[in-house]
Amino acid sequence: MYVQTQGAYVSKKGEVIEVFAPGRKELLAEARLNEISQLSLFGNIQVTTQALQAFCDAQIPVLYFSYG
């Protein structure tokens, strides 16, 4: 999963990872945790503690990149 929208918000709801637009107004994407092989974040992206813990428990890499 690649997240590039600046100010986006990644959260966990059950076994589903959700990506919201800035301000949590619009759902941009969602995927089941077992369908994700890695999470790549480009720039200013927020990830909830619960989502980050789920990625760690499932041994799914979380990669942080600068936007440029």
CSV table of all heavy atoms in Angstrom, one decimal:
chain,number,residue,atom,x,y,z
A,1,MET,N,0.9,-1.2,0.0
A,1,MET,CA,0.0,0.0,0.0
A,1,MET,C,0.9,1.2,0.0
A,1,MET,O,1.8,1.3,0.8
A,1,MET,CB,-0.9,0.0,1.2
A,1,MET,CG,-1.8,1.2,1.4
A,1,MET,SD,-2.9,1.1,2.8
A,1,MET,CE,-4.2,0.3,2.1
A,2,TYR,N,0.6,2.2,-0.9
A,2,TYR,CA,1.4,3.4,-1.0
A,2,TYR,C,0.4,4.6,-0.7
A,2,TYR,O,-0.7,4.6,-1.2
A,2,TYR,CB,1.9,3.6,-2.4
A,2,TYR,CG,2.9,2.6,-2.8
A,2,TYR,CD1,2.6,1.4,-3.4
A,2,TYR,CD2,4.3,2.9,-2.7
A,2,TYR,CE1,3.6,0.5,-3.7
A,2,TYR,CE2,5.3,2.0,-3.1
A,2,TYR,CZ,4.9,0.8,-3.6
A,2,TYR,OH,5.9,-0.1,-3.9
A,3,VAL,N,0.9,5.4,0.2
A,3,VAL,CA,0.1,6.6,0.6
A,3,VAL,C,0.9,7.8,0.3
A,3,VAL,O,2.0,8.0,0.8
A,3,VAL,CB,-0.3,6.6,2.1
A,3,VAL,CG1,-1.2,7.8,2.5
A,3,VAL,CG2,-1.0,5.3,2.5
A,4,GLN,N,0.4,8.7,-0.6
A,4,GLN,CA,1.1,9.9,-1.0
A,4,GLN,C,0.3,11.2,-0.8
A,4,GLN,O,0.9,12.3,-0.9
A,4,GLN,CB,1.4,9.8,-2.5
A,4,GLN,CG,2.2,8.6,-2.9
A,4,GLN,CD,2.4,8.5,-4.4
A,4,GLN,OE1,1.7,9.2,-5.2
A,4,GLN,NE2,3.3,7.7,-4.9
A,5,THR,N,-0.9,11.1,-0.4
A,5,THR,CA,-1.7,12.3,-0.2
A,5,THR,C,-1.3,13.0,1.1
A,5,THR,O,-1.3,12.4,2.2
A,5,THR,CB,-3.2,11.9,0.0
A,5,THR,OG1,-3.6,11.3,-1.2
A,5,THR,CG2,-4.1,13.2,0.1
A,6,GLN,N,-0.8,14.2,1.0
A,6,GLN,CA,-0.2,14.9,2.1
A,6,GLN,C,-1.3,15.2,3.1
A,6,GLN,O,-2.4,15.7,2.8
A,6,GLN,CB,0.4,16.3,1.6
A,6,GLN,CG,1.6,16.0,0.7
A,6,GLN,CD,2.7,15.1,1.4
A,6,GLN,OE1,3.4,15.5,2.3
A,6,GLN,NE2,2.8,13.9,0.9
A,7,GLY,N,-1.0,14.9,4.4
A,7,GLY,CA,-2.0,15.1,5.4
A,7,GLY,C,-2.9,13.9,5.6
A,7,GLY,O,-3.8,14.0,6.5
A,8,ALA,N,-2.8,12.9,4.9
A,8,ALA,CA,-3.6,11.7,5.0
A,8,ALA,C,-3.4,11.0,6.3
A,8,ALA,O,-2.5,11.3,7.0
A,8,ALA,CB,-3.3,10.7,3.9
A,9,TYR,N,-4.4,10.2,6.7
A,9,TYR,CA,-4.5,9.6,8.0
A,9,TYR,C,-4.7,8.1,7.8
A,9,TYR,O,-5.7,7.7,7.1
A,9,TYR,CB,-5.6,10.2,8.7
A,9,TYR,CG,-5.9,9.8,10.1
A,9,TYR,CD1,-5.2,10.5,11.2
A,9,TYR,CD2,-6.8,8.8,10.4
A,9,TYR,CE1,-5.5,10.1,12.5
A,9,TYR,CE2,-7.0,8.5,11.7
A,9,TYR,CZ,-6.4,9.1,12.8
A,9,TYR,OH,-6.6,8.8,14.0
A,10,VAL,N,-3.9,7.2,8.3
A,10,VAL,CA,-4.0,5.8,8.2
A,10,VAL,C,-4.5,5.2,9.6
A,10,VAL,O,-3.9,5.5,10.6
A,10,VAL,CB,-2.6,5.1,7.8
A,10,VAL,CG1,-2.8,3.6,7.7
A,10,VAL,CG2,-2.1,5.7,6.5
A,11,SER,N,-5.6,4.5,9.5
A,11,SER,CA,-6.1,3.9,10.8
A,11,SER,C,-6.5,2.5,10.6
A,11,SER,O,-6.5,2.0,9.5
A,11,SER,CB,-7.3,4.7,11.3
A,11,SER,OG,-8.4,4.6,10.4
A,12,LYS,N,-6.9,1.8,11.7
A,12,LYS,CA,-7.3,0.4,11.6
A,12,LYS,C,-8.7,0.3,12.2
A,12,LYS,O,-9.0,0.9,13.2
A,12,LYS,CB,-6.3,-0.4,12.5
A,12,LYS,CG,-6.6,-1.9,12.6
A,12,LYS,CD,-5.6,-2.5,13.5
A,12,LYS,CE,-6.0,-4.0,13.8
A,12,LYS,NZ,-7.0,-4.2,14.8
A,13,LYS,N,-9.5,-0.5,11.5
A,13,LYS,CA,-10.9,-0.8,11.9
A,13,LYS,C,-11.1,-2.2,11.8
A,13,LYS,O,-11.2,-2.8,10.7
A,13,LYS,CB,-11.9,0.0,11.1
A,13,LYS,CG,-13.3,-0.1,11.5
A,13,LYS,CD,-14.2,0.7,10.7
A,13,LYS,CE,-15.7,0.6,11.1
A,13,LYS,NZ,-16.5,1.4,10.2
A,14,GLY,N,-11.0,-3.0,12.9
A,14,GLY,CA,-11.1,-4.4,12.8
A,14,GLY,C,-9.8,-4.9,12.2
A,14,GLY,O,-8.7,-4.6,12.6
A,15,GLU,N,-10.0,-5.7,11.1
A,15,GLU,CA,-8.8,-6.2,10.3
A,15,GLU,C,-8.6,-5.4,9.0
A,15,GLU,O,-7.9,-5.9,8.1
A,15,GLU,CB,-9.0,-7.7,10.1
A,15,GLU,CG,-8.9,-8.6,11.3
A,15,GLU,CD,-7.5,-8.4,12.0
A,15,GLU,OE1,-6.5,-8.5,11.3
A,15,GLU,OE2,-7.5,-8.3,13.2
A,16,VAL,N,-9.2,-4.2,9.0
A,16,VAL,CA,-9.2,-3.4,7.7
A,16,VAL,C,-8.3,-2.2,8.0
A,16,VAL,O,-8.5,-1.5,9.1
A,16,VAL,CB,-10.6,-3.0,7.3
A,16,VAL,CG1,-10.5,-2.1,6.1
A,16,VAL,CG2,-11.4,-4.3,6.9
A,17,ILE,N,-7.4,-1.9,7.1
A,17,ILE,CA,-6.7,-0.6,7.2
A,17,ILE,C,-7.4,0.4,6.3
A,17,ILE,O,-7.7,0.1,5.1
A,17,ILE,CB,-5.2,-0.8,6.7
A,17,ILE,CG1,-4.5,-1.9,7.6
A,17,ILE,CG2,-4.4,0.5,6.7
A,17,ILE,CD1,-4.4,-1.5,9.0
A,18,GLU,N,-7.6,1.6,6.8
A,18,GLU,CA,-8.3,2.7,6.1
A,18,GLU,C,-7.4,3.9,6.0
A,18,GLU,O,-6.7,4.2,6.9
A,18,GLU,CB,-9.6,3.1,6.9
A,18,GLU,CG,-10.6,2.0,7.1
A,18,GLU,CD,-11.8,2.4,7.9
A,18,GLU,OE1,-11.6,3.2,8.8
A,18,GLU,OE2,-12.9,1.9,7.6
A,19,VAL,N,-7.5,4.5,4.8
A,19,VAL,CA,-6.7,5.7,4.6
A,19,VAL,C,-7.7,6.8,4.3
A,19,VAL,O,-8.6,6.7,3.4
A,19,VAL,CB,-5.8,5.6,3.3
A,19,VAL,CG1,-5.0,6.9,3.1
A,19,VAL,CG2,-4.9,4.4,3.5
A,20,PHE,N,-7.7,7.9,5.1
A,20,PHE,CA,-8.6,9.0,5.0
A,20,PHE,C,-7.9,10.2,4.5
A,20,PHE,O,-6.7,10.4,4.8
A,20,PHE,CB,-9.2,9.4,6.4
A,20,PHE,CG,-10.2,8.3,6.9
A,20,PHE,CD1,-9.7,7.3,7.7
A,20,PHE,CD2,-11.5,8.4,6.5
A,20,PHE,CE1,-10.6,6.4,8.2
A,20,PHE,CE2,-12.4,7.5,7.0
A,20,PHE,CZ,-12.0,6.4,7.8
A,21,ALA,N,-8.6,11.1,3.8
A,21,ALA,CA,-8.1,12.4,3.3
A,21,ALA,C,-7.8,13.3,4.6
A,21,ALA,O,-8.3,13.0,5.7
A,21,ALA,CB,-9.1,13.0,2.4
A,22,PRO,N,-7.1,14.3,4.4
A,22,PRO,CA,-6.8,15.2,5.5
A,22,PRO,C,-8.1,15.6,6.2
A,22,PRO,O,-9.1,15.9,5.6
A,22,PRO,CB,-6.2,16.4,4.9
A,22,PRO,CG,-5.5,15.9,3.7
A,22,PRO,CD,-6.4,14.8,3.2
A,23,GLY,N,-8.1,15.6,7.5
A,23,GLY,CA,-9.3,15.9,8.3
A,23,GLY,C,-10.3,14.8,8.5
A,23,GLY,O,-11.3,15.0,9.0
A,24,ARG,N,-9.9,13.6,8.0
A,24,ARG,CA,-10.7,12.4,8.1
A,24,ARG,C,-12.1,12.6,7.5
A,24,ARG,O,-13.1,12.1,8.0
A,24,ARG,CB,-10.9,11.9,9.6
A,24,ARG,CG,-9.6,11.5,10.2
A,24,ARG,CD,-9.8,10.8,11.5
A,24,ARG,NE,-10.2,9.4,11.2
A,24,ARG,CZ,-10.5,8.5,12.1
A,24,ARG,NH1,-10.5,8.9,13.4
A,24,ARG,NH2,-10.9,7.3,11.8
A,25,LYS,N,-12.2,13.4,6.4
A,25,LYS,CA,-13.5,13.6,5.8
A,25,LYS,C,-13.9,12.6,4.8
A,25,LYS,O,-15.0,12.3,4.6
A,25,LYS,CB,-13.5,15.0,5.2
A,25,LYS,CG,-13.3,16.1,6.2
A,25,LYS,CD,-13.2,17.5,5.6
A,25,LYS,CE,-13.0,18.6,6.6
A,25,LYS,NZ,-12.8,19.9,6.0
A,26,GLU,N,-12.9,12.1,4.0
A,26,GLU,CA,-13.2,11.2,2.9
A,26,GLU,C,-12.3,10.0,3.0
A,26,GLU,O,-11.1,10.1,3.2
A,26,GLU,CB,-12.9,12.0,1.6
A,26,GLU,CG,-13.1,11.2,0.3
A,26,GLU,CD,-12.6,11.9,-0.9
A,26,GLU,OE1,-12.3,13.1,-0.8
A,26,GLU,OE2,-12.6,11.3,-1.9
A,27,LEU,N,-12.9,8.8,2.8
A,27,LEU,CA,-12.2,7.6,2.8
A,27,LEU,C,-11.5,7.4,1.4
A,27,LEU,O,-12.2,7.4,0.4
A,27,LEU,CB,-13.1,6.4,3.0
A,27,LEU,CG,-12.5,5.0,3.0
A,27,LEU,CD1,-11.5,4.9,4.2
A,27,LEU,CD2,-13.5,3.9,3.1
A,28,LEU,N,-10.2,7.4,1.4
A,28,LEU,CA,-9.4,7.3,0.1
A,28,LEU,C,-9.2,5.9,-0.3
A,28,LEU,O,-9.2,5.6,-1.5
A,28,LEU,CB,-8.1,8.0,0.2
A,28,LEU,CG,-8.1,9.5,0.5
A,28,LEU,CD1,-6.7,10.1,0.7
A,28,LEU,CD2,-8.8,10.3,-0.6
A,29,ALA,N,-9.0,5.0,0.6
A,29,ALA,CA,-8.6,3.6,0.3
A,29,ALA,C,-8.9,2.8,1.6
A,29,ALA,O,-8.8,3.2,2.7
A,29,ALA,CB,-7.2,3.5,-0.2
A,30,GLU,N,-9.1,1.5,1.3
A,30,GLU,CA,-9.1,0.5,2.4
A,30,GLU,C,-8.7,-0.9,1.9
A,30,GLU,O,-8.9,-1.2,0.7
A,30,GLU,CB,-10.5,0.4,3.0
A,30,GLU,CG,-11.6,-0.1,2.1
A,30,GLU,CD,-13.0,-0.1,2.8
A,30,GLU,OE1,-13.1,0.2,4.0
A,30,GLU,OE2,-13.9,-0.5,2.1
A,31,ALA,N,-8.1,-1.6,2.8
A,31,ALA,CA,-7.6,-3.0,2.4
A,31,ALA,C,-7.5,-3.8,3.6
A,31,ALA,O,-7.2,-3.3,4.7
A,31,ALA,CB,-6.3,-2.9,1.7
A,32,ARG,N,-7.8,-5.1,3.5
A,32,ARG,CA,-7.6,-6.0,4.6
A,32,ARG,C,-6.1,-6.1,4.9
A,32,ARG,O,-5.3,-6.1,4.0
A,32,ARG,CB,-8.2,-7.4,4.3
A,32,ARG,CG,-9.7,-7.4,4.2
A,32,ARG,CD,-10.1,-8.9,4.0
A,32,ARG,NE,-11.6,-8.9,4.1
A,32,ARG,CZ,-12.2,-9.0,5.3
A,32,ARG,NH1,-11.6,-9.0,6.4
A,32,ARG,NH2,-13.6,-9.0,5.3
A,33,LEU,N,-5.8,-6.2,6.2
A,33,LEU,CA,-4.4,-6.3,6.7
A,33,LEU,C,-3.7,-7.4,6.0
A,33,LEU,O,-2.5,-7.2,5.6
A,33,LEU,CB,-4.4,-6.4,8.2
A,33,LEU,CG,-3.0,-6.3,8.8
A,33,LEU,CD1,-2.4,-5.0,8.6
A,33,LEU,CD2,-3.1,-6.6,10.3
A,34,ASN,N,-4.3,-8.6,5.8
A,34,ASN,CA,-3.6,-9.7,5.2
A,34,ASN,C,-3.4,-9.6,3.7
A,34,ASN,O,-2.7,-10.4,3.1
A,34,ASN,CB,-4.3,-11.0,5.5
A,34,ASN,CG,-5.7,-11.1,4.9
A,34,ASN,OD1,-6.2,-10.2,4.3
A,34,ASN,ND2,-6.4,-12.2,5.2
A,35,GLU,N,-3.9,-8.5,3.1
A,35,GLU,CA,-3.7,-8.3,1.7
A,35,GLU,C,-2.6,-7.3,1.4
A,35,GLU,O,-2.2,-7.0,0.3
A,35,GLU,CB,-5.0,-7.7,1.0
A,35,GLU,CG,-6.1,-8.7,1.0
A,35,GLU,CD,-7.4,-8.0,0.6
A,35,GLU,OE1,-7.5,-6.8,0.6
A,35,GLU,OE2,-8.4,-8.8,0.2
A,36,ILE,N,-2.0,-6.7,2.5
A,36,ILE,CA,-0.9,-5.7,2.4
A,36,ILE,C,0.4,-6.4,2.7
A,36,ILE,O,0.6,-7.0,3.7
A,36,ILE,CB,-1.2,-4.6,3.4
A,36,ILE,CG1,-2.6,-3.9,3.1
A,36,ILE,CG2,-0.1,-3.5,3.4
A,36,ILE,CD1,-3.0,-2.9,4.2
A,37,SER,N,1.4,-6.1,1.8
A,37,SER,CA,2.7,-6.7,1.9
A,37,SER,C,3.7,-5.6,2.5
A,37,SER,O,4.7,-6.0,3.1
A,37,SER,CB,3.3,-7.2,0.6
A,37,SER,OG,3.4,-6.1,-0.3
A,38,GLN,N,3.4,-4.3,2.3
A,38,GLN,CA,4.2,-3.3,3.0
A,38,GLN,C,3.4,-2.0,2.9
A,38,GLN,O,2.5,-1.8,2.1
A,38,GLN,CB,5.5,-3.1,2.3
A,38,GLN,CG,5.4,-2.4,0.9
A,38,GLN,CD,6.8,-2.2,0.3
A,38,GLN,OE1,7.7,-2.9,0.6
A,38,GLN,NE2,6.8,-1.3,-0.6
A,39,LEU,N,3.7,-1.1,3.8
A,39,LEU,CA,3.1,0.2,3.9
A,39,LEU,C,4.1,1.3,3.6
A,39,LEU,O,5.1,1.4,4.4
A,39,LEU,CB,2.4,0.5,5.2
A,39,LEU,CG,1.8,1.9,5.4
A,39,LEU,CD1,0.6,2.0,4.5
A,39,LEU,CD2,1.3,2.1,6.9
A,40,SER,N,4.0,2.0,2.5
A,40,SER,CA,5.0,3.0,2.1
A,40,SER,C,4.3,4.4,2.2
A,40,SER,O,3.3,4.6,1.6
A,40,SER,CB,5.5,2.8,0.7
A,40,SER,OG,6.1,1.6,0.5
A,41,LEU,N,4.9,5.2,3.1
A,41,LEU,CA,4.4,6.5,3.4
A,41,LEU,C,5.3,7.6,2.8
A,41,LEU,O,6.5,7.6,3.1
A,41,LEU,CB,4.2,6.7,4.9
A,41,LEU,CG,3.5,5.6,5.6
A,41,LEU,CD1,3.6,5.8,7.1
A,41,LEU,CD2,2.0,5.6,5.2
A,42,PHE,N,4.7,8.5,2.0
A,42,PHE,CA,5.5,9.5,1.3
A,42,PHE,C,5.1,10.9,1.9
A,42,PHE,O,4.0,11.4,1.5
A,42,PHE,CB,5.3,9.5,-0.2
A,42,PHE,CG,5.9,8.2,-0.8
A,42,PHE,CD1,5.1,7.1,-0.9
A,42,PHE,CD2,7.2,8.2,-1.3
A,42,PHE,CE1,5.7,5.9,-1.4
A,42,PHE,CE2,7.7,7.1,-1.9
A,42,PHE,CZ,7.0,5.9,-1.9
A,43,GLY,N,6.0,11.5,2.7
A,43,GLY,CA,5.7,12.9,3.2
A,43,GLY,C,4.9,12.9,4.5
A,43,GLY,O,5.1,12.0,5.4
A,44,ASN,N,4.0,13.9,4.6
A,44,ASN,CA,3.3,14.1,5.8
A,44,ASN,C,2.0,13.2,5.9
A,44,ASN,O,0.9,13.6,5.5
A,44,ASN,CB,2.8,15.6,5.8
A,44,ASN,CG,2.1,16.0,7.0
A,44,ASN,OD1,2.2,15.4,8.1
A,44,ASN,ND2,1.2,17.0,6.9
A,45,ILE,N,2.2,12.0,6.5
A,45,ILE,CA,1.2,11.1,6.7
A,45,ILE,C,1.1,10.7,8.1
A,45,ILE,O,2.2,10.4,8.7
A,45,ILE,CB,1.4,9.8,5.8
A,45,ILE,CG1,1.8,10.1,4.4
A,45,ILE,CG2,0.2,8.9,5.9
A,45,ILE,CD1,0.8,10.7,3.6
A,46,GLN,N,-0.1,10.6,8.7
A,46,GLN,CA,-0.2,10.1,10.1
A,46,GLN,C,-0.7,8.7,10.1
A,46,GLN,O,-1.5,8.3,9.3
A,46,GLN,CB,-1.2,11.0,10.8
A,46,GLN,CG,-0.8,12.4,11.0
A,46,GLN,CD,-1.8,13.2,11.8
A,46,GLN,OE1,-2.5,12.7,12.7
A,46,GLN,NE2,-1.9,14.5,11.6
A,47,VAL,N,-0.2,7.9,11.1
A,47,VAL,CA,-0.6,6.5,11.3
A,47,VAL,C,-0.9,6.4,12.8
A,47,VAL,O,-0.2,6.7,13.6
A,47,VAL,CB,0.6,5.6,10.9
A,47,VAL,CG1,0.1,4.1,11.1
A,47,VAL,CG2,1.1,5.8,9.5
A,48,THR,N,-2.1,5.8,13.0
A,48,THR,CA,-2.5,5.6,14.4
A,48,THR,C,-1.6,4.5,15.1
A,48,THR,O,-1.0,3.7,14.4
A,48,THR,CB,-4.0,5.1,14.5
A,48,THR,OG1,-4.1,3.9,13.9
A,48,THR,CG2,-4.9,6.1,13.9
A,49,THR,N,-1.6,4.6,16.4
A,49,THR,CA,-0.8,3.6,17.1
A,49,THR,C,-1.4,2.2,16.9
A,49,THR,O,-0.6,1.2,16.7
A,49,THR,CB,-0.8,3.9,18.6
A,49,THR,OG1,-0.3,5.2,18.8
A,49,THR,CG2,0.0,2.9,19.4
A,50,GLN,N,-2.7,2.0,16.8
A,50,GLN,CA,-3.3,0.8,16.6
A,50,GLN,C,-2.9,0.2,15.2
A,50,GLN,O,-2.7,-1.0,15.1
A,50,GLN,CB,-4.8,0.9,16.7
A,50,GLN,CG,-5.3,1.2,18.1
A,50,GLN,CD,-5.3,2.7,18.5
A,50,GLN,OE1,-4.9,3.5,17.6
A,50,GLN,NE2,-5.6,3.0,19.7
A,51,ALA,N,-2.9,1.0,14.2
A,51,ALA,CA,-2.5,0.5,12.9
A,51,ALA,C,-1.1,0.1,12.9
A,51,ALA,O,-0.7,-0.9,12.3
A,51,ALA,CB,-2.8,1.6,11.8
A,52,LEU,N,-0.2,0.9,13.5
A,52,LEU,CA,1.2,0.6,13.5
A,52,LEU,C,1.5,-0.7,14.3
A,52,LEU,O,2.3,-1.5,13.8
A,52,LEU,CB,2.0,1.8,14.1
A,52,LEU,CG,3.5,1.8,13.9
A,52,LEU,CD1,3.9,1.7,12.5
A,52,LEU,CD2,4.1,3.0,14.6
A,53,GLN,N,0.8,-0.9,15.4
A,53,GLN,CA,0.9,-2.1,16.1
A,53,GLN,C,0.4,-3.3,15.3
A,53,GLN,O,1.1,-4.4,15.3
A,53,GLN,CB,0.1,-2.0,17.4
A,53,GLN,CG,0.2,-3.3,18.3
A,53,GLN,CD,1.6,-3.4,18.9
A,53,GLN,OE1,2.2,-2.5,19.4
A,53,GLN,NE2,2.1,-4.6,18.8
A,54,ALA,N,-0.6,-3.2,14.5
A,54,ALA,CA,-1.1,-4.3,13.7
A,54,ALA,C,-0.1,-4.6,12.6
A,54,ALA,O,0.2,-5.8,12.4
A,54,ALA,CB,-2.4,-3.9,13.0
A,55,PHE,N,0.6,-3.6,12.0
A,55,PHE,CA,1.6,-3.9,11.0
A,55,PHE,C,2.8,-4.6,11.7
A,55,PHE,O,3.4,-5.6,11.1
A,55,PHE,CB,2.1,-2.6,10.4
A,55,PHE,CG,1.1,-2.1,9.3
A,55,PHE,CD1,0.4,-0.9,9.6
A,55,PHE,CD2,0.9,-2.8,8.2
A,55,PHE,CE1,-0.5,-0.4,8.6
A,55,PHE,CE2,0.0,-2.3,7.2
A,55,PHE,CZ,-0.7,-1.1,7.4
A,56,CYS,N,3.2,-4.2,12.9
A,56,CYS,CA,4.3,-4.8,13.6
A,56,CYS,C,3.9,-6.3,13.9
A,56,CYS,O,4.8,-7.2,13.7
A,56,CYS,CB,4.6,-4.1,14.9
A,56,CYS,SG,5.4,-2.5,14.5
A,57,ASP,N,2.7,-6.5,14.5
A,57,ASP,CA,2.3,-7.9,14.8
A,57,ASP,C,2.3,-8.8,13.6
A,57,ASP,O,2.6,-10.0,13.7
A,57,ASP,CB,0.9,-7.9,15.5
A,57,ASP,CG,0.9,-7.2,16.9
A,57,ASP,OD1,2.0,-7.1,17.5
A,57,ASP,OD2,-0.2,-6.9,17.4
A,58,ALA,N,1.9,-8.3,12.5
A,58,ALA,CA,1.9,-9.1,11.2
A,58,ALA,C,3.2,-9.1,10.5
A,58,ALA,O,3.3,-9.7,9.4
A,58,ALA,CB,0.8,-8.5,10.3
A,59,GLN,N,4.2,-8.5,11.1
A,59,GLN,CA,5.5,-8.4,10.4
A,59,GLN,C,5.5,-7.8,9.0
A,59,GLN,O,6.2,-8.3,8.1
A,59,GLN,CB,6.2,-9.7,10.5
A,59,GLN,CG,6.5,-10.2,11.8
A,59,GLN,CD,7.2,-11.6,11.9
A,59,GLN,OE1,7.4,-12.2,10.9
A,59,GLN,NE2,7.7,-11.9,13.0
A,60,ILE,N,4.7,-6.7,8.9
A,60,ILE,CA,4.6,-6.0,7.6
A,60,ILE,C,5.4,-4.7,7.8
A,60,ILE,O,5.2,-3.9,8.7
A,60,ILE,CB,3.1,-5.7,7.3
A,60,ILE,CG1,2.3,-6.9,7.2
A,60,ILE,CG2,3.0,-4.8,6.1
A,60,ILE,CD1,0.8,-6.7,7.1
A,61,PRO,N,6.4,-4.5,6.8
A,61,PRO,CA,7.2,-3.4,6.9
A,61,PRO,C,6.5,-2.1,6.7
A,61,PRO,O,5.6,-2.0,5.9
A,61,PRO,CB,8.2,-3.6,5.8
A,61,PRO,CG,8.1,-4.9,5.3
A,61,PRO,CD,6.7,-5.4,5.7
A,62,VAL,N,6.8,-1.1,7.5
A,62,VAL,CA,6.3,0.3,7.3
A,62,VAL,C,7.5,1.2,7.0
A,62,VAL,O,8.4,1.3,7.7
A,62,VAL,CB,5.6,0.8,8.6
A,62,VAL,CG1,5.1,2.2,8.5
A,62,VAL,CG2,4.5,-0.1,9.1
A,63,LEU,N,7.4,1.8,5.8
A,63,LEU,CA,8.5,2.5,5.2
A,63,LEU,C,8.1,4.0,5.1
A,63,LEU,O,7.1,4.4,4.6
A,63,LEU,CB,8.9,2.0,3.8
A,63,LEU,CG,9.1,0.5,3.8
A,63,LEU,CD1,9.1,0.0,2.3
A,63,LEU,CD2,10.4,0.2,4.4
A,64,TYR,N,9.0,4.9,5.6
A,64,TYR,CA,8.8,6.3,5.6
A,64,TYR,C,9.7,6.9,4.6
A,64,TYR,O,10.9,6.7,4.6
A,64,TYR,CB,9.1,6.9,7.0
A,64,TYR,CG,8.1,6.5,8.0
A,64,TYR,CD1,8.3,5.3,8.8
A,64,TYR,CD2,6.9,7.2,8.3
A,64,TYR,CE1,7.4,4.9,9.8
A,64,TYR,CE2,6.0,6.9,9.2
A,64,TYR,CZ,6.2,5.7,10.0
A,64,TYR,OH,5.4,5.3,10.9
A,65,PHE,N,9.2,7.8,3.7
A,65,PHE,CA,10.0,8.5,2.7
A,65,PHE,C,9.6,10.0,2.7
A,65,PHE,O,8.5,10.3,3.1
A,65,PHE,CB,9.7,8.0,1.3
A,65,PHE,CG,9.9,6.5,1.1
A,65,PHE,CD1,8.9,5.6,1.2
A,65,PHE,CD2,11.2,6.1,0.7
A,65,PHE,CE1,9.2,4.2,1.0
A,65,PHE,CE2,11.5,4.7,0.5
A,65,PHE,CZ,10.5,3.8,0.7
A,66,SER,N,10.6,10.8,2.3
A,66,SER,CA,10.3,12.2,2.2
A,66,SER,C,9.4,12.4,0.9
A,66,SER,O,9.4,11.5,0.0
A,66,SER,CB,11.5,13.1,2.0
A,66,SER,OG,12.2,12.7,0.8
A,67,TYR,N,8.6,13.4,0.9
A,67,TYR,CA,7.8,13.6,-0.3
A,67,TYR,C,8.6,13.9,-1.6
A,67,TYR,O,8.1,13.5,-2.6
A,67,TYR,CB,6.8,14.8,0.0
A,67,TYR,CG,5.8,15.0,-1.1
A,67,TYR,CD1,4.8,14.0,-1.3
A,67,TYR,CD2,5.8,16.1,-1.9
A,67,TYR,CE1,3.9,14.2,-2.3
A,67,TYR,CE2,4.9,16.2,-3.0
A,67,TYR,CZ,3.9,15.3,-3.1
A,67,TYR,OH,3.0,15.5,-4.1
A,68,GLY,N,9.7,14.6,-1.4
A,68,GLY,CA,10.5,14.9,-2.6
A,68,GLY,C,11.2,13.7,-3.1
A,68,GLY,O,11.7,13.6,-4.2
